[in-house]
Amino acid sequence: MVDQQAPPAERAKVSPTYVLAGLVAVGVIAQAWLATVVGSFARLQTATTVFVGVFVQAVPFLVLGVLVSGGIAAFVSPALLRKALPRNETAAIGVAGLAGMALPGCECGVVPVARRLIDQGAPSSVALAFLLSAPATNPVVLVATAVAFPGEPGMVWARFIGSLATALVMGLLWSRIGRPGWMLPRSRGHEHCAEGGTRWEVFTEAARHDLLQASAFLVLGAAAAAALHVLVPPTWYQRLGGEMVIAILVMALLAIVLALCSEADAFVASSMSALPLLPRLVFLVVGPAVDVKLFAMQTGSFGRRFAIRFSPLTFAVAVVCGTVAGYLCLGGAR
C-alpha cells in the first residue's frame, strides 16, 4: 500500500501573514459583538483603552524601525562593518558599541548580523557589543522613549547611557572570559531572508519578518500593560515603589518574560505610571539585552553553551548599568 502522507518538506506551512490576516478578519466580522461585550464591563473598557493607547502610540515607531531594519539588511553588509572595525580589540568594542547608534533594528534582526560578523573574522566580543547596542541606542528607540515619557529627558539619556554601558561592559568582559569552544563553529541561526535574492526581495522579506514578529510581541506587551492596569490594585504598586530594590528586580524579570520589541517597549513602560521611573528604566535597559526570545535565538545562532553563560551575565550587567544610569540621569531613585 502506498503511503499517502506527504513528506514533511511538502506539507503546507501556515504563514504568519495568513494568521494575522485571519485575526484581523475575525475582528472586523465580530466588531459589533466585541463592542457590546466591552461596553458591558467598566474594567474591560479601561483595559481596552489602555491597550489601544499603548498600541497606537507604538505602531508608527514600530513601522519606522522595521523599514530601517529592512534597508540595513538589503544595503549594509556585515563585511562593510567588519572593514570599519579597528584591529585593536578594545577599540573595536568601542566602535561596535557606538555603531549600534546608527543601525536601527529589532533585537532578533541583530542576532544574525552578529553571527555573520563572527563568521567573517570579527572577535566575538566585538560582535556581541554591537548585538547589545544596536537595538537599544539607535535614534528610533530614543525618539520613541522621548515621546513615551514627555517632560522626562532624563529617561532618554539614562536609557542611552545604561544600554551603551551594558554593551561596552559585556564586550570587555567577554574579551576576557569568552572561550571559542562556547560558540558554534558556523552559523546556524535564524536569517531574515534567503541568500541570493535581489535587494528589493531582501528588503521586503526582512521588513515583513520584523513587522510580524515585533507586532506579535507588541500586542502581548500592550495586553500585559492593560491587564496590569486593571488587575493589580494600586496599593501593590505603591508598596512595590516603596521597595526600590524589589521593584527593580521585578521590572527586570518582567522585561525578560514580556520580550517586547525595543521600538515599542517604552510605551508599555510609560503606562505603568504608578511605579517610579528608576524601575521602569531598568525594564527598558534589560529588555533589549536579554529576554526569552533572544535566549532562544542566541541558542540557535551561537549554541546553548554560549547562551547559558551569556544571558545571565548580561542580565546582571544590564540591571547594574541601568540602575547606575538612573541614579546619574534621573537625580536618584524616583
Side-chain angles (χ1 to χ4, degrees), residues 27-92:
V28 172
I29 295 173
Q31 179 180 5
W33 178 78
L34 291 173
T36 301
V37 172
V38 171
S40 302
F41 301 94
R43 298 180 74 181
L44 193 54
Q45 283 182 311
T46 302
T48 302
T49 301
V50 173
F51 175 88
V52 172
V54 171
F55 189 86
V56 170
Q57 278 187 307
V59 162
F61 296 96
L62 185 62
V63 172
L64 176 60
V66 300
L67 290 177
V68 174
S69 178
I72 291 169
F75 299 102
V76 181
S77 68
L80 179 62
L81 299 177
R82 178 68 186 95
K83 291 178 182 178
L85 294 174
R87 292 187 177 183
N88 180 274
E89 184 174 355
T90 301

Side-chain angles (χ1 to χ4, degrees), residues 97 102 133 147 265 283:
S133 173
V147 173
D265 57 1
F283 175 88

Side-chain angles (χ1 to χ4, degrees), residues 142-160:
L142 297 179
V143 171
T145 305
V147 173
F149 291 91
E152 293 290 349
M155 282 293 288
V156 180
W157 282 107
R159 181 174 194 179
F160 171 74

